[in-house]
Amino acid sequence: MSYILFAVLSVVTLYLCMFGVLFFLGGGNLESLAPYDLVDDEGHVGDISSFAGIGGWIEKLDPDYQVTEIYGEKKDSVWSYTIEEISEYLYTDHVVETETSAREYWGFLKAVQTEGGTVWYLMKISRETLRLTYSFDVGNGNSTGKVTAALFLTFGALFLVNCVLMSTYLSRKIRRPLLEITEGMEQVKNGAGMVRLDFQAQKEFEEIRDSFNLMIEQLEQEKRINEEKKNRMLLELSHDLKTPVATIKGCANALEEGLDFCIRIPETPVYVNIDRKEFARVIENLLGNVVKYNQTGTKAEVEVRQSDETAKLFVRDDGETIAEDIRPALFEPFARGDKARQSKGGTGLGLAIAYKIVEKHGGKLAYRREHEENVFWAEVPAQC
């Protein structure tokens, strides 16, 4: 867009030089300037009857180059423009290579500053009806040379000023966002967190800014997820290392204090398709839970049953019941029972680990209170 603006300004500068030099020399015929006089600097449209009589009309455009008002009879069906399309109407060639109505019409563009921004007035007329002509007295060779020299010198000076202004404009528009992006990338490279780009620039740079911020948010989210997985893995490893020792110690204390332990296993073998190492953790965690938390009872029981399609493992104890408000979250990580079933050093991961293992085997793990006992039971598909 900046390069297009530069091209348009260059064309406008050329026109201004030509019109200005010819006008002040007084030897020219500038009838082509007449359409600009139809709209004054305040945006008031004068009498356009003569202009309309030869097929011309005026379009009022908003800052986005959308047609808002029509003065005279509109001959084409164009209601919105781009800056490229407007520049095509400014070409003075009789035939313009374009697919727009600029092939048939050429225009005069006038800008009016208002409180709401720049309003444009585009005066359009058929290229067959009006052609640009420049005439001056060429009888005096010296006058012709002076006109030509003045024209090129004026245009050269204005073109140089235009180049300097556009270079400064582009430098400010491009250099600042590039520095912001480079600095943000350096911060990410050095391991800084919560890096965000916040600047206003052209659309292309704003798209890069938004993509950069989205990428950083995704990276931070992945980092949080990986950190949580790492912490959970360390806790589970810590639990698995502590559980065998705790189970042995608890069983020793139970034997010392006379706790009653009962095992009920059917004489007929029970066949299930399980990972023996993983499912051993389920049994270990359930028994470890009884040893750690049954501090008010004296009985523990393990029972295995088989039905036609499932095999069930029951672990019972006669300790204090688990509170109703704890039961819905009993198999979630870090869930702990009430004070009557707490012990020092528990992580709240044992039942959660057991639940996941049973679930991976296509079964389920649940709890209920019956006959004044806490009953944990695991159910998995049985093999016939």
Side-chain angles (χ1 to χ4, degrees):
M1 183 63 69
S2 299
Y3 298 104
I4 296 173
L5 180 61
F6 175 74
V8 172
L9 289 176
S10 299
V11 172
V12 172
T13 301
L14 177 60
Y15 274 104
L16 290 176
C17 291
M18 296 174 65
F19 292 155
V21 171
L22 293 175
F23 181 79
F24 286 107
L25 287 176
N29 179 13
L30 305 181
E31 294 178 355
S32 61
L33 291 178
Y36 289 106
D37 298 331
L38 297 175
V39 181
D40 61 19
D41 294 335
E42 301 297 328
H44 300 125
V45 179
D47 183 12
I48 66 168
S49 57
S50 299
F51 188 65
I54 57 175
W57 74 94
I58 301 176
E59 297 177 0
K60 182 179 180 181
L61 311 179
D62 63 16
D64 295 325
Y65 310 112
Q66 308 290 318
V67 178
T68 59
E69 292 184 44
I70 301 293
Y71 302 91
E73 182 181 358
K74 184 174 175 60
K75 300 297 191 303
D76 59 14
S77 59
V78 182
W79 294 94
S80 63
Y81 302 90
T82 64
I83 189 65
E84 295 91 340
E85 293 172 344
I86 289 179
S87 64
E88 292 175 350
Y89 287 92
L90 303 179
Y91 293 162
T92 59
D93 294 342
H94 178 57
V95 177
V96 179
E97 295 297 328
T98 180
E99 298 298 326
T100 67
S101 66
R103 290 177 60 90
E104 302 177 10
Y105 302 94
W106 74 289
F108 305 86
L109 188 64
K110 184 168 185 176
V112 176
Q113 297 295 331
T114 65
E115 294 182 357
T118 302
V119 176
W120 304 89
Y121 289 85
L122 181 62
M123 286 71 76
K124 297 172 69 174
I125 192 170
S126 172
R127 292 183 179 272
E128 296 296 330
T129 302
L130 186 64
R131 299 184 183 182
L132 283 177
T133 59
Y134 305 95
S135 61
F136 50 88
D137 185 7
V138 296
N140 189 334
N142 292 332
S143 299
T144 303
K146 291 179 180 179
V147 170
T148 304
L151 171 63
F152 281 103
L153 288 175
T154 304
F155 174 73
L158 292 178
F159 185 79
L160 180 61
V161 172
N162 189 20
C163 290
V164 173
L165 292 177
M166 286 302 300
S167 299
T168 304
Y169 170 80
L170 292 176
S171 176
R172 292 182 178 179
K173 286 291 185 180
I174 296 177
R175 184 178 181 183
R176 185 175 62 85
L178 283 179
L179 290 176
E180 293 276 354
I181 295 172
T182 303
E183 183 179 353
M185 296 177 67
E186 285 294 329
Q187 292 178 1
V188 174
K189 178 181 177 181
N190 295 330
M194 300 300 292
V195 179
R196 295 294 185 274
L197 297 181
D198 184 15
F199 58 81
Q200 301 297 324
Q202 293 180 337
K203 181 179 179 181
E204 293 79 4
F205 286 107
E206 290 182 349
E207 290 178 352
I208 296 175
R209 175 201 64 192
D210 296 339
S211 298
F212 180 89
N213 291 338
L214 179 60
M215 177 190 69
I216 294 300
E217 290 179 1
Q218 292 175 346
L219 289 176
E220 290 178 350
Q221 183 177 4
E222 292 179 1
K223 181 179 179 181
R224 288 194 297 269
I225 293 175
N226 292 333
E227 190 70 21
E228 291 175 359
K229 289 182 178 179
K230 182 187 73 174
N231 293 336
R232 187 180 296 274
M233 179 187 69
L234 292 176
L235 286 172
E236 290 182 357
L237 289 174
S238 174
H239 177 272
D240 289 346
L241 292 174
K242 292 169 60 179
T243 297
V245 177
T247 302
I248 295 172
K249 182 179 179 181
C251 291
N253 291 335
L255 291 174
E256 183 180 2
E257 297 175 2
L259 180 53
D260 187 10
F261 187 72
C262 179
I263 299 178
R264 301 178 186 274
I265 300 177
E267 295 182 0
T268 303
V270 178
Y271 296 98
V272 291
N273 186 16
I274 59 174
D275 186 305
R276 298 181 64 178
K277 181 178 179 181
E278 288 292 307
F279 215 81
R281 296 177 66 189
V282 176
I283 300 174
E284 185 178 83
N285 287 350
L286 292 176
L287 291 176
N289 187 69
V290 172
V291 171
K292 284 191 291 184
Y293 295 119
N294 184 9
Q295 299 181 12
T296 61
T298 60
K299 178 182 177 182
E301 180 180 288
V302 176
E303 180 182 4
V304 176
R305 295 181 190 173
Q306 181 179 9
S307 62
D308 293 336
E309 298 180 352
T310 62
K312 296 182 179 180
L313 170 70
F314 296 89
V315 177
R316 301 183 178 90
D317 71 78
D318 61 346
E320 186 71 19
T321 183
I322 298 176
E324 292 285 349
D325 59 336
I326 297 295
R327 296 179 188 180
L330 192 60
F331 299 105
E332 295 180 2
F334 312 112
R336 299 283 300 275
D338 57 16
K339 294 181 179 179
R341 293 183 61 85
Q342 287 185 357
S343 68
K344 295 181 180 179
T347 62
L349 288 172
L351 293 179
I353 295 173
Y355 184 87
K356 287 184 178 180
I357 294 174
V358 174
E359 190 177 49
K360 288 180 180 179
H361 283 80
K364 60 181 180 179
L365 178 63
Y367 165 83
R368 64 173 177 260
R369 180 77 177 181
E370 64 179 10
H371 306 303
E372 301 299 323
E373 291 181 334
N374 297 301
V375 181
F376 288 90
W377 57 280
E379 178 181 290
V380 294
Q383 288 186 326
C384 298

